[in-house]
């Protein structure tokens, strides 16, 4: 990932507005211990306290919470205004209000944003295989393509030229199966958004997922975030 893709924001009012919009959208945040990224959890933003400069979250799973509270610092990651946004903090505290647990997080001095499309899309690493198999409409033919990149809302798929289904932008496919690594195996529908030449004798289609259940959408989003962290770690 190129450094110019990442924007660092230090203006306090800009940070406050961004976190305010995250709360207004009832957004979710990933809690990722910096020293133990496997123990991560997604929680909803339930409040903001501008005067105290704190963000209030639902408590994560007890196992995740324990690791978060014992971590040297924690990465908070969310999509704000369509951009992947994150910051690091060691200012976390639990609250108990009438039996309900909450996690209060101090506003950061710095946040970072990935300056890319509204749904963060990542190229699949060479060691993470991805395939999309689908039935071409009106035919009993199953075509399988390699997933080139992936986001929570769609993907790009490369098919060899002699298996090209000849899709046009706007075509809809009601039956497909997406498999990426060991983390994703879902059935979905998709809409073709674009078509372009690929590498060698291949064609690449840009696809938008349709009628994707929230659970599957969250599963894909979680895997995209994991791959993004892996890429940042590798440099």
């Amino acid at each position: 990932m190129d450094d110019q893709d990442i924007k660092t924001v230090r203006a306090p009012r800009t940070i406050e507005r961004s976190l305010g919009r995250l709360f207004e959208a009832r957004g979710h945040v990933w809690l990722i211990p910096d020293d133990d990224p496997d123990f991560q959890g997604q929680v909803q933003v339930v409040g903001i306290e501008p005067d105290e400069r704190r963000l209030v979250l639902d408590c994560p799973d007890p196992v995740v919470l324990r690791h978060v509270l014992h971590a040297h610092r924690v990465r908070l990651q969310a999509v704000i205004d369509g951009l992947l946004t994150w910051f690091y903090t060691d200012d976390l505290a639990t609250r108990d209000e009438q039996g309900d647990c909450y996690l209060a997080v101090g506003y950061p001095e710095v946040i970072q944003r990935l300056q890319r499309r509204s749904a963060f899309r990542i190229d699949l690493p060479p060691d993470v295989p991805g395939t999309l198999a689908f039935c071409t409409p009106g035919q009993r033919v199953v075509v399988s393509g390699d997933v080139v990149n992936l986001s929570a809302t769609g993907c790009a798929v490369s098919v060899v030229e002699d298996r090209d289904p000849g899709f046009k932008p706007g075509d809809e496919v009601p039956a497909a199966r997406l498999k990426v690594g060991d983390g994703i195996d879902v059935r979905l529908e998709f809409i073709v958004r674009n078509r372009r030449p690929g590498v060698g004798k291949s064609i690449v289609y840009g696809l938008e997922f349709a009628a994707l259940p929230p659970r599957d959408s969250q599963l894909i989003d979680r895997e995209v975030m994991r791959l993004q962290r892996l890429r940042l770690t590798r440099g």
Side-chain angles (χ1 to χ4, degrees), residues 118-156:
S118 58
F120 175 63
R121 187 177 299 257
I122 188 166
D123 294 336
L124 291 193
D127 57 343
V128 179
T131 59
L132 183 74
F134 53 88
C135 294
T136 53
Q139 303 179 36
R140 294 185 176 180
V141 177
V142 177
V143 176
S144 180
D146 295 325
V147 177
V148 178
N149 58 49
L150 179 69
S151 78
T153 58
C155 66

Side-chain angles (χ1 to χ4, degrees), residues 27-42:
H28 288 77
V29 171
W30 284 100
L31 300 172
I32 307 167
D34 197 34
D35 55 356
D36 201 350
D38 289 336
F39 286 93
Q40 57 182 282
Q42 188 183 50

Side-chain angles (χ1 to χ4, degrees), residues 206-218:
L207 311 175
E208 178 185 344
F209 301 144
L212 192 63
R215 182 176 180 179
D216 290 341
S217 179
Q218 292 174 7

Side-chain angles (χ1 to χ4, degrees), residues 93-215:
T94 57
R95 293 180 181 174
D96 189 306
E97 298 181 6
Q98 298 180 344
D100 293 325
C101 174
Y102 298 99
L103 188 64
V105 182
Y107 283 8
E109 295 183 359
V110 174
I111 64 174
Q112 292 179 301
R113 288 176 174 167
L114 194 65
Q115 302 299 296
R116 291 199 175 180
R117 63 192 76 198
S118 58
F120 175 63
R121 187 177 299 257
I122 188 166
D123 294 336
L124 291 193
D127 57 343
V128 179
T131 59
L132 183 74
F134 53 88
C135 294
T136 53
Q139 303 179 36
R140 294 185 176 180
V141 177
V142 177
V143 176
S144 180
D146 295 325
V147 177
V148 178
N149 58 49
L150 179 69
S151 78
T153 58
C155 66
V157 173
S158 173
V159 296
V160 293
E161 196 172 48
D162 59 0
R163 299 297 304 276
D164 180 13
F167 288 144
K168 297 178 181 179
D171 285 349
E172 300 182 18
V173 175
R177 184 175 184 179
L178 174 69
K179 299 181 71 175
V180 177
D182 297 325
I184 298 175
D185 185 353
V186 298
R187 299 182 184 278
L188 49 80
E189 304 173 21
F190 65 77
I191 302 170
V192 179
R193 291 306 182 197
N194 56 68
R195 180 182 187 274
R196 64 183 185 273
V199 177
K201 295 183 177 181
S202 66
I203 303 296
V204 175
Y205 285 99
L207 311 175
E208 178 185 344
F209 301 144
L212 192 63
R215 182 176 180 179

